[in-house]
Amino acid sequence: LGCFSGSPVGAIPSLRMRYHVPRCKTKVRDGVFMKFTVVAVGKLKERFWTDACAEYLKRLQPYGKTVVKEVADVDPARAGGVDAARDREGAAILAALPDATHVVLLAIDGKERSSEGFSRRIDALKLGGSSDISFIIGGSDGVSEAVRARADETLSFGPITLPHNLARVVLLEQLYRAQKISRAVSQIRDRRTARVRRTFSVRSLKK
């Protein structure tokens, strides 16, 4: 997902996504409060894209804080070329990242994972102490070398080319799915542990 279809538009001010997400109390799952940040180049314009993102942001609330930050996409014709535009977008991306966050860059040549594998990777980061994870969706001409250098790892949704708008929805949906998978695995593990404990308790009483 380093390069998506779609032509660049004129520069727009950096801003946060203004999705309407109903307020609800966030619960902490498994004793660890997760924070997900999605930094994306360009603004969603169509209502159906913003509605789709808002829906998954709402579904993610019980699992942790999820924030989407939009940065301006830069027109190469106005910036003095593709490289200059990419560097300006890159500087804005880096400025939008939280401090001490684990950075995952979406790139077409990145690491491919199944939904289950993606869930296991997030769980592994959580268990390793990385509860703050940021995902970067670059512009139509990719990202700067500075952004690539900042990334701790890359992620790919396959060799297909996705429009930026759809890539953002897919990422949020996969984040939500990963949390649901993790929760289901945790519940199964808890039930198995409870059965083992009951078995040992019964055996102890028989003795």
Side-chain angles (χ1 to χ4, degrees):
L1 295 179
C3 295
F4 300 103
S5 61
S7 58
V9 298
I12 58 174
S14 296
L15 45 83
R16 287 179 180 271
M17 290 296 281
R18 287 180 284 187
Y19 300 134
H20 174 68
V21 180
R23 293 183 178 274
C24 70
K25 187 176 292 185
T26 300
K27 300 177 182 178
V28 179
R29 299 284 189 183
D30 302 323
V32 178
F33 182 83
M34 296 297 295
K35 180 183 178 184
F36 301 114
T37 302
V38 178
V39 180
V41 175
K43 180 182 179 181
L44 296 184
K45 299 179 178 65
E46 293 84 358
R47 177 69 180 271
F48 52 85
W49 293 125
T50 58
D51 285 351
C53 287
E55 176 62 27
Y56 285 113
L57 286 171
K58 181 179 70 174
R59 294 186 186 188
L60 278 163
Q61 282 185 340
Y63 301 95
K65 182 179 180 181
T66 306
V67 177
V68 177
K69 297 180 180 180
E70 290 181 334
V71 302
D73 54 356
V74 180
D75 185 349
R78 297 182 179 183
V82 172
D83 290 341
R86 210 160 29 209
D87 288 342
R88 283 175 55 183
E89 290 175 353
I93 290 171
L94 295 176
L97 292 172
D99 295 332
T101 186
H102 183 89
V103 178
V104 181
L105 172 64
L106 271 67
I108 200 166
D109 57 350
K111 172 74 173 179
E112 293 186 29
R113 297 183 188 276
S114 64
S115 295
E116 292 78 9
F118 186 42
S119 178
R120 288 193 296 269
R121 178 57 183 155
I122 292 176
D123 282 347
L125 289 171
K126 178 173 64 176
L127 292 173
S130 298
S131 58
D132 189 323
I133 306 174
S134 295
F135 298 87
I136 296 174
I137 301 176
S140 55
D141 291 313
V143 297
S144 65
E145 288 302 318
V147 172
R148 284 192 171 272
R150 175 62 184 86
D152 296 296
E153 61 181 278
T154 58
L155 173 67
S156 173
F157 291 142
I160 60 172
T161 299
L162 293 177
H164 294 131
N165 306 343
L166 181 56
R168 200 180 307 186
V169 176
V170 171
L171 174 60
L172 291 173
E173 190 277 336
Q174 285 296 301
L175 271 175
Y176 169 68
R177 185 180 297 273
Q179 299 308 297
K180 293 287 288 184
I181 291 172
S182 177
R183 185 62 178 170
V185 170
S186 177
Q187 289 175 339
I188 292 172
R189 185 167 55 243
D190 290 345
R191 287 196 293 268
R192 286 176 178 172
T193 301
R195 284 199 298 269
V196 170
R197 286 176 177 171
R198 286 197 298 270
T199 299
F200 277 107
S201 297
V202 169
R203 289 176 179 175
S204 297
L205 288 173
K206 287 180 178 180
K207 290 180 180 180

